[in-house]
Amino acid sequence: MDSRPPLRIGDCAPDFGARSTAGDIKLSQFRGKWLVFFSHPADFTPVCTTEFVALAQAAGRFAALGCALLGLSVDSLFSHLAWIRAIREVFGVTIGFPVIEDPSMAVGRAFGMIDERAGDSAAIRSTYFIDPEGVIRAITTYPHNVGRSVEEMLRMVAALQCAAGDTVLTPEGWQPGEPVLLPPARAAGDADAADWFCRRVAAP
Ligand code: BEZ
């Protein structure tokens, strides 16, 4: 059992070095970019494969947001490479983002990506959205049997970028280009308007 307190929004993502499908990697080398760092339970599994295919197909859209992708599972580098080759053969899709091996679970444990109560060592579907300064801005956790939405990951990155600095807030279901909300302290200056607490303004 890991006694470290769980990572939270606002924490600096702990740096680490690991072997990946793109060579040796340090988390800190992604500074200066947004990063979606995600774990998956296991290679060669159905839901994870759909996530990988969708992430690879959306790689250009993440790049357009200045956002890199980084995967992790407890599987070995050789397993990752074999799975990536199989995905290319079956789906014609190239996984262009690095995938870290974490057989010791050192990284997964540091990021709370391992379900310590599970009977096996599989990582859960954790996703960390890390800003260019290395600060964790959002965390999501999904179970092994429900796949994540890559559209929602893209939306999350765009919303975090839009709302960075807290001058504006993004409403439910916000999409890039849509109006945003003012923080309560700023909106209260317009308290005579009936809709002062929920007025939408153009995105900066
Ligand atoms: C899947 O990705 O399909 C999966 C992962 C872990 C356990 C079962 C299924």
Side-chain angles (χ1 to χ4, degrees):
M1 198 71 182
D2 197 324
S3 58
R4 282 171 288 195
L7 289 172
R8 294 173 191 270
I9 291 171
D11 287 346
C12 203
D15 197 16
F16 61 81
R19 292 204 307 176
S20 87
T21 52
D24 290 351
I25 271 191
K26 284 183 72 113
L27 190 72
S28 52
Q29 77 188 56
F30 293 95
R31 292 273 163 88
K33 283 183 173 181
W34 283 80
L35 176 67
V36 174
F37 176 37
F38 59 95
S39 62
H40 65 275
D43 296 350
F44 289 101
T45 49
V47 177
C48 298
T49 301
T50 63
E51 290 184 339
F52 262 52
V53 169
L55 283 163
Q57 289 172 332
R61 295 168 68 197
F62 283 102
L65 292 170
C67 182
L69 297 170
L70 178 62
L72 169 146
S73 84
V74 300
D75 299 284
S76 70
L77 187 55
F78 302 104
S79 168
H80 288 342
L81 292 169
W83 185 37
I84 284 172
R85 193 175 56 219
I87 289 175
R88 193 167 49 237
E89 284 168 8
V90 175
F91 295 94
V93 169
T94 299
I95 304 300
F97 52 83
V99 186
I100 288 170
E101 69 164 0
D102 189 31
S104 73
M105 297 185 277
V107 180
R109 286 219 164 94
F111 279 80
M113 291 168 160
I114 307 293
D115 183 353
E116 303 286 355
R117 291 166 310 177
D120 60 24
S121 59
I124 45 184
R125 294 184 203 282
S126 289
T127 310
Y128 283 74
F129 298 83
I130 301 173
D131 80 7
E133 280 75 50
V135 177
I136 297 165
R137 294 299 173 192
I139 306 169
T140 66
T141 306
Y142 280 49
H144 74 274
N145 51 356
V146 176
R148 288 161 284 201
S149 162
V150 170
E151 283 301 325
E152 177 59 11
M153 290 184 186
L154 285 158
R155 197 193 75 86
M156 176 75 92
V157 175
L160 289 168
Q161 292 176 346
C162 178
D166 275 341
T167 56
V168 297
L169 318 170
T170 61
E172 183 280 328
W174 178 87
Q175 294 289 344
E178 292 181 358
V180 292
L181 297 163
L182 295 176
R186 284 181 61 202
D190 198 13
D192 288 343
D195 67 347
W196 65 271
F197 56 92
C198 60
R199 185 172 284 180
R200 295 188 186 218
V201 299

